[in-house]
Amino acid sequence: MSLTTPARSRALAAGLLALVLTASTACAADEPGTTGGGSIKIGLLASLSGTYQSVGKEIRDGFELYLDTHDGKLGGRQVDLVVADEGNGAATAVPAATKLLKQDRVAALTGIVGGGSVAGVYPLLQETKVPLVGSNGRPEIKDVSRVWHTSYLSDEPGAAIAQHVRDNVKGSVYAIGPDYQGGWDELRGFTEAFAKAGGTLANPDGKTTFTPFPATTNFTPYFARIKASGAQAVYTFYAGSAAVDFVKQYAQSEIKDVPLYAAGFLTEGGVLNAQGEAARDIFSVLNYSPDLDNAENRGFVAAWKAKHDGSPTTYALASYDAAAVLDRAIGAAGDDPTPEAINAQIGKLGQIASPRGAWQFSGVTHSPVQKWYLRQVRQDGRALSNTVVGDLATIGR
């Protein structure tokens, strides 16, 4: 056995120290959301293909606009934004979210168009303990401790407009929408609040008529049923390509003179351009319109128009606000913005200045307490737009 010399001992110690530092650095890089150099990794999941492709692109573009106008940073950290395609629902959303959460190891997840997708991704959030700052519809979830939404709950648009419809329609109203989670929630919000207000549905069985999704592209047979029911108005929810089909066919149908009320997604964004004159005079309810007069909205609209044709939508607005939420939360999370630290800080944000007007997260649902607006498709210069014609309820629970 040979004895170790002092020089050799120092060399071994130096080598061990280098090994420890290397291992420590590797572990730090393995932490969710850390990419080195003080940057942070955020996952964005949205429908970049399928029926709601236009919605998904608005969500992506809204988040990216916030980054573009804030030097690509959130909370003072450079953002590595990892974008994935949600597709048409949970079947494609779950594998995409699995990659973001388990392989890319993002510090927070945002986006998600469909309520069914949120329901599918939810168990992954619980498993990985990563917060979701969603920016579109959301179904009912029992444990929202890591789930936040900057948009709305799916039953709120209908609930917000129900009293107005009851007060302004002298007779029964026909309810119709797509047969999937988002459609069920959207129409339930309207029908329950409408019944509570004393309204009557024209549907023969007193229940919403649901159309197969995404298979239904011909709505003519349903319009015949509405005509036969004697309805004095129609309330609906459709979005994306289904909204274009519904509105164009409605304008050519035997019920074209029956007033049409809808959740605002029916005429929001690019679908209004595709619908054209067929959409004129449709009433809708939404939490945002680009013609709202406040400083935050003027700046938001100007920044959007500098990069895109047309005006921003509620989808872009909600995603822009999701970035604003993460900006403040990451900044408040300190030197180690782990998913848990970010989530904790989101709950402490309080009131948020927004282009839609000030809002804050409900302590119960983690969705916005916010004002809803009545809009109508009217001429605005050379184009049709969703013009605010009144305030509706402020909802949040």
Side-chain angles (χ1 to χ4, degrees), residues 49-225:
S49 63
T51 303
Y52 294 142
Q53 179 178 351
S54 61
V55 177
K57 287 183 175 180
E58 293 270 334
I59 286 174
R60 178 198 62 194
D61 292 349
F63 198 93
E64 290 181 344
L65 181 65
Y66 189 93
L67 292 179
D68 290 344
T69 55
H70 291 77
D71 299 321
K73 296 179 179 180
L74 297 178
R77 293 173 177 268
Q78 200 68 38
V79 173
D80 178 6
L81 184 64
V82 187
V83 179
D85 185 8
E86 172 188 344
N88 251 346
T92 46
V94 171
T98 300
K99 179 180 180 298
L100 290 173
L101 294 167
K102 294 188 173 183
Q103 183 175 327
D104 298 314
R105 296 176 64 78
V106 298
L109 184 65
T110 189
I112 309 189
V113 173
S117 297
V118 173
V121 169
Y122 174 72
L124 288 169
L125 301 172
Q126 296 295 88
E127 178 186 348
T128 59
K129 303 187 185 308
V130 172
L132 168 66
V133 184
S135 52
N136 207 50
R138 189 184 88 193
E140 184 175 347
I141 292 175
K142 291 183 179 179
D143 180 6
V144 296
S145 55
R146 291 186 186 86
V147 178
W148 310 82
H149 272 75
T150 59
S151 49
Y152 52 89
L153 296 182
S154 296
D155 61 352
E156 290 179 341
I161 198 175
Q163 185 66 56
H164 175 84
V165 175
R166 174 68 181 89
D167 292 344
N168 288 273
V169 175
K170 307 306 178 186
S172 60
V173 175
Y174 199 98
I176 183 171
D179 190 11
Y180 72 103
Q181 182 71 56
W184 307 335
D185 293 341
E186 290 282 351
L187 271 296
R188 173 175 51 80
F190 173 77
T191 56
E192 288 184 356
F194 187 61
K196 188 175 181 180
T200 302
L201 291 184
N203 306 61
D205 59 358
K207 299 178 181 178
T208 298
T209 297
F210 288 108
T211 61
F213 176 86
T216 305
T217 56
N218 178 16
F219 293 94
T220 303
Y222 297 99
F223 297 149
R225 295 186 200 176

Side-chain angles (χ1 to χ4, degrees), residues 301-324:
V301 172
W304 179 269
K305 288 186 173 181
K307 293 179 65 69
H308 303 279
D309 292 332
S311 298
T313 63
T314 188
Y315 314 119
L317 172 277
S319 196
Y320 183 89
D321 275 3

